[in-house]
Amino acid sequence: MTLTMITYLLYINISIALTIGVGWILFRNGRAFLLDIFPNNETLADSINRLLLTGFYLLNIGYISLTMNIGMSIQNSEHMLEKLSYKLGIIMIVLAAIHFTNLIVLSKMRKQSTEDRSRSMFAKAS
C-alpha cells in the first residue's frame, strides 16, 4: 500500500469521525435551542433537530468526498503528515463555519419566537 493510499484512508476516516462527533454534539445540545423556539411542540423540535443532523452529515461527508484528492503522490511520511494535517484543518474550519451558521440561524429564530410570544402575551393582556 502506498503512502498516498494510506493518506486517503486516514483522511476519510478521521474526517468522518470528526463530522459524526461534531454532529452528535450539535444534535444533543441543539435540542434545547429548538425547544425554546418551539416551546409547545416538542415533536416538531425533535424532528427539525434530526433533519438538521441529517443535512449536516450529508453536507460535510459530501464535502469530504469532493476534497479527498491529494493532487500528487506522497513521497515520505513527513509529506504525508503535512498533507493530512492541511486537509484535516480545512475540514475542521468547514465544520466550525457550519456550526456558527447554525448558531446564527437558531439565534435569529429564537429571537423571532421570543418576540412573537411577547406580542401574543401583550395582545392577551390588552
Side-chain angles (χ1 to χ4, degrees):
M1 188 178 302
T2 67
L3 286 177
T4 302
M5 183 58 82
I6 292 169
T7 305
Y8 284 146
L9 292 172
L10 287 170
Y11 170 73
I12 196 109
N13 285 309
I14 294 169
S15 296
I16 289 175
L18 280 169
T19 298
I20 290 170
V22 170
W24 182 249
I25 290 168
L26 295 174
F27 177 76
R28 192 178 63 228
N29 295 311
R31 186 174 191 270
F33 281 98
L34 291 169
L35 286 172
D36 192 44
I37 295 167
F38 306 106
N40 299 323
N41 200 339
E42 189 172 329
T43 304
L44 178 62
D46 288 339
S47 293
I48 290 172
N49 203 19
R50 284 189 296 275
L51 289 170
L52 286 170
L53 179 64
T54 301
F56 181 81
Y57 285 159
L58 289 171
L59 179 66
N60 285 297
I61 292 172
Y63 183 77
I64 289 164
S65 297
L66 288 173
T67 59
M68 190 167 108
N69 185 12
I70 299 296
M72 63 185 77
S73 66
I74 305 295
Q75 302 303 318
N76 56 47
S77 57
E78 290 84 15
H79 190 226
M80 181 180 87
L81 288 174
E82 287 172 5
K83 280 302 215 181
L84 188 59
S85 67
Y86 176 80
K87 301 288 271 180
L88 291 173
I90 290 172
I91 294 301
M92 287 186 256
I93 289 169
V94 168
L95 287 171
I98 292 170
H99 168 65
F100 287 121
T101 301
N102 279 342
L103 282 177
I104 290 166
V105 170
L106 288 174
S107 293
K108 287 182 180 184
M109 289 176 68
R110 183 176 182 266
K111 182 179 178 185
Q112 183 65 42
S113 175
T114 303
E115 289 172 359
D116 290 347
R117 281 191 299 243
S118 294
R119 277 189 230 116
S120 175
M121 289 173 53
F122 180 73
K124 287 179 184 178
S126 297

